[in-house]
Amino acid sequence: MATDSRIHFWKRNTKGPGSLQPVYGAQHPPLDPRIPRAFLKDTPKSNSAQNVKSKKASSFLEFARSTNDAWDIDDEEDEDLFMAAAPPVPPSHPRPAAVTASLPPANPESDSESHPSEPHPTDTLGSLGSETCHDEQRTEGRSTNGRVVKSNSDAQLNTSSVRSSLQKQQSLPVRPIIPLVARISDQNASGAPPMTVREKSRLDKFRQLLASPNTDLEELRKHSWSGIPREVRPITWRLLSGYLPANMERREQVLQRKREEYFGFVEQYYHSRTDEHHRDTYRQIHIDIPRTNPLIPLFQQPLVQEVFERILFTWAIRHPASGYVQGINDLVTPFFVVFLSEFVEEDVENFEMSALPLDTQRNIEADSFWCMSKLLDGIQDNYTFAQPGIQIKVKALEELVSRIDEDVHGHFQKCEVEYLQFAFRWMNNLLMRELPLRCTIRLWDTYQAESEGFSHFHLYVCAAFLIKWRKEILSMVDFQGLLMLLQNLPTIHWGNEEVGLLLAEAYRLKYMFADAPNHYRR
């Protein structure tokens, strides 16, 4: 009996102070068309690709089905008449046909030659047509030495499908297809030039501020509000979070002391993860970490996951009022990526952490811990018993939306959608599950620049983010479709431009409502 009681402790005590709180939707990333879905198997096959494309989507789910591969950058058209055979799939885990077709060929050298790392938009669009008729190609093709040879009818069908796909895409806005959620190292994700004259001037201004003996933090915040250049973001975040002092002479000494202090905590607390009293906390952390940004290879490395385990467990033990709550694991990732970028110029998402010297790894870990702690100090009531901070913020969001857009607010009431059903995750994870990580990093530039960015300005960002999808929200006529839209908003291609517009609208709302409490009243 005692053993069973300990095993089910975390299930029975979900409402105890400092216990592990399951968060609504916290395990799931934003809707990503790159993730294989079960409904691909159920997609009806037709000899006419145009019949499939002409089918009008009557719901968001059907829309997602019909555009499942619309932004998939991995499926590129093979110009040759040969295509490599896909590796065998274990019978216990059958793959959909479209997913099997996108597996890499057996020869990595030939694959690297025929598939560029950054595909041209036309190449990407061209791959869509081949995806539609891929099953017919595999049926009519003949196998030769492990390769499938396309027949002439296949080539004709593929050509017409490509042309039809290109015609379909003409109605979409003309813009470069940017990398998807896994791309985190390109600050200019919306297709802007790598370094414009204005950006170079801003970078010089940041370097001038940071090089002064005593950095003017107010001036630094002013320049950081509209985004921080990648080259100086790590040192700027350390300063704005309060981790580093403004005085340059003291910085190295403070860094050394705080890093040693963190690893002192690790040595003091981390071994207790196997103790009965802390076993459930460590178990939940161990479960949640692989779910953190599952599409980014960097975070699937065992070495990186061990770093996250030490950071989260140490923080949870040192903050017993809240303990570990699902969602806190997400808040480590922006700091980790930013501090890692000091040593990696590009392709951060695929970087091998083990390639760095051990001292550098330890410094990144310690800095991530302290900056995350500074952030959580300002929003800890979001994670204490019953999470009152989130409850208050969600209620404030409802009141704010009811004043700025009565149509959207009334539509929620008509469809019986509660704000808590979708906005809880927005507050708990600071929109990290709604935006690609590159956008979160840009958003946090502004949060760091605001005096109460994470605790107060975030409310207005959520309001602006909700109203951004006004047209799509009003087009949904039932509870299921509306809630599915709100939990899977199509931000997969967002970049700095979209985040900048979102922040500008949030600032406008704050200017209008923050100092006018009567505006909240009906």
Side-chain angles (χ1 to χ4, degrees):
M1 278 306 283
T3 303
D4 294 339
S5 177
R6 288 195 299 270
I7 292 176
H8 298 286
F9 172 83
W10 68 280
K11 292 183 178 179
R12 297 200 314 269
N13 293 271
T14 56
K15 294 184 179 180
S19 62
L20 305 174
Q21 299 291 330
V23 174
Y24 181 78
Q27 301 99 313
H28 308 291
L31 179 65
D32 189 344
R34 296 177 60 178
I35 302 177
R37 298 181 181 82
F39 58 64
L40 285 175
K41 300 178 182 178
D42 302 329
T43 304
K45 296 180 175 61
S46 173
N47 293 331
S48 176
Q50 294 180 351
N51 292 338
V52 177
K53 294 179 181 179
S54 62
K55 183 179 178 181
K56 183 177 180 180
S58 59
S59 68
F60 182 78
L61 177 59
E62 293 183 11
F63 173 78
R65 291 178 179 175
S66 65
T67 60
N68 174 64
D69 59 350
W71 300 105
D72 196 335
I73 63 174
D74 289 332
D75 298 332
E76 301 182 19
E77 180 65 10
D78 190 354
E79 298 296 338
D80 302 327
L81 293 179
F82 299 95
M83 69 178 186
V89 179
S92 59
H93 299 283
R95 292 179 182 265
V99 177
T100 307
S102 65
L103 290 174
N107 187 352
E109 296 181 359
S110 61
D111 178 65
S112 62
E113 295 175 0
S114 60
H115 296 273
S117 58
E118 293 293 336
H120 190 274
T122 307
D123 297 335
T124 308
L125 296 176
S127 67
L128 306 181
S130 62
E131 197 74 357
T132 306
C133 58
H134 196 73
D135 291 330
E136 288 79 5
Q137 294 173 354
R138 296 204 315 179
T139 304
E140 297 180 8
R142 62 182 185 275
S143 176
T144 306
N145 296 330
R147 296 175 178 265
V148 178
V149 182
K150 298 181 183 178
S151 62
N152 292 333
S153 60
D154 289 334
Q156 295 172 0
L157 179 59
N158 186 40
T159 304
S160 62
S161 298
V162 172
R163 186 179 299 108
S164 177
S165 177
L166 289 173
Q167 292 173 353
K168 176 184 176 181
Q169 296 296 332
Q170 287 178 353
S171 61
L172 295 175
V174 179
R175 60 174 297 168
I177 296 179
I178 65 173
L180 299 183
V181 67
R183 183 70 177 179
I184 59 182
S185 59
D186 184 6
Q187 183 183 3
N188 298 292
S190 294
M195 180 68 75
T196 64
V197 175
R198 179 177 179 273
E199 288 173 340
K200 188 176 185 305
S201 175
R202 293 188 71 247
L203 177 58
D204 292 340
K205 181 62 177 177
F206 271 92
R207 286 175 171 164
Q208 180 182 353
L209 284 170
L210 296 171
S212 62
N214 288 282
T215 302
D216 187 343
L217 295 182
E218 288 303 318
E219 191 71 13
L220 187 62
R221 288 190 178 95
K222 177 182 175 181
H223 286 81
S224 300
W225 205 99
S226 56
I228 303 173
R230 181 181 185 272
E231 294 82 356
V232 294
R233 181 178 280 134
I235 181 66
T236 304
W237 276 27
R238 291 187 184 102
L239 286 166
L240 295 182
S241 64
Y243 174 45
L244 276 187
N247 185 277
M248 180 179 290
E249 294 181 355
R250 296 180 52 224
R251 290 176 191 169
E252 193 62 34
Q253 180 182 358
V254 170
L255 274 179
Q256 183 178 354
R257 176 174 58 83
K258 299 295 284 186
R259 288 165 178 173
E260 292 176 354
E261 186 178 357
Y262 165 71
F263 283 102
F265 293 153
V266 172
E267 185 177 354
Q268 181 180 355
Y269 299 119
Y270 193 60
H271 67 86
S272 66
R273 66 190 183 279
T274 57
D275 294 350
E276 182 178 352
H277 185 61
H278 300 309
R279 189 180 304 162
D280 294 320
T281 297
Y282 176 75
R283 175 183 177 274
Q284 191 62 50
I285 292 172
H286 188 73
I287 291 173
D288 288 345
I289 286 178
R291 302 169 179 171
T292 305
N293 297 293
L295 300 179
I296 301 178
L298 172 68
F299 298 110
Q300 303 309 309
Q301 299 175 26
L303 182 60
V304 174
Q305 293 182 356
E306 290 173 7
V307 168
F308 277 48
E309 285 182 1
R310 287 192 294 269
I311 291 174
L312 294 171
F313 184 80
T314 303
W315 186 90
I317 299 304
R318 286 181 48 80
H319 296 80
S322 62
Y324 172 77
V325 179
Q326 285 179 297
I328 295 179
N329 55 306
D330 284 330
L331 306 184
V332 187
T333 55
F335 293 112
F336 183 83
V337 168
V338 167
F339 297 144
L340 177 62
S341 67
E342 278 188 292
F343 311 97
V344 184
E345 292 186 0
E346 57 184 20
D347 201 26
V348 180
E349 59 273 12
N350 292 308
F351 182 75
E352 283 292 333
M353 189 69 176
S354 59
L356 290 175
L358 181 59
D359 288 343
T360 302
Q361 297 178 29
R362 289 167 61 89
N363 292 342
I364 293 172
E365 178 178 344
D367 293 354
S368 300
F369 169 83
W370 285 115
C371 288
M372 183 199 74
S373 298
K374 292 288 186 180
L375 185 160
L376 289 172
D377 286 346
I379 57 172
Q380 192 167 354
D381 61 341
N382 286 5
Y383 306 105
T384 54
F385 174 62
Q387 298 179 271
I390 292 180
Q391 303 282 348
I392 293 171
K393 290 181 178 69
V394 171
K395 184 63 177 176
L397 177 64
E398 180 178 358
E399 293 291 335
L400 181 59
V401 173
S402 70
R403 301 303 297 164
I404 63 179
D405 199 321
E406 293 183 1
D407 292 339
V408 169
H409 182 70
H411 191 65
F412 284 153
Q413 292 179 326
K414 180 182 177 181
C415 295
E416 299 182 345
V417 172
E418 298 290 338
Y419 283 78
L420 203 63
Q421 292 171 326
F422 63 90
F424 185 92
R425 189 172 77 180
W426 295 10
M427 303 298 178
N428 186 77
N429 300 80
L430 298 178
L431 287 177
M432 287 195 62
R433 296 299 173 106
E434 277 58 50
L435 298 173
L437 184 53
R438 62 178 178 271
C439 295
T440 298
I441 292 173
R442 167 62 190 92
L443 186 68
W444 283 23
D445 286 347
T446 301
Y447 283 2
Q448 299 269 14
E450 284 279 334
S451 58
E452 295 181 322
F454 294 98
S455 60
H456 185 63
F457 187 65
H458 180 68
L459 167 66
Y460 300 96
V461 172
C462 289
F465 186 66
L466 181 62
I467 302 304
K468 162 75 177 176
W469 310 103
R470 182 181 192 275
K471 181 179 178 180
E472 291 81 358
I473 289 172
L474 295 178
S475 67
M476 293 296 166
V477 296
D478 63 340
F479 173 87
Q480 182 178 0
L482 182 54
L483 200 59
M484 183 176 181
L485 169 67
L486 292 168
Q487 293 176 348
N488 300 280
L489 291 166
T491 62
I492 199 73
H493 64 281
W494 272 32
N496 284 0
E497 180 182 349
E498 290 81 1
V499 176
L501 293 174
L502 177 68
L503 289 167
E505 177 64 15
Y507 182 81
R508 186 185 71 86
L509 294 176
K510 178 188 174 185
Y511 183 81
M512 292 175 61
F513 291 95
D515 297 324
N518 289 334
H519 287 190
Y520 286 119
R521 300 175 184 173
R522 292 184 178 278

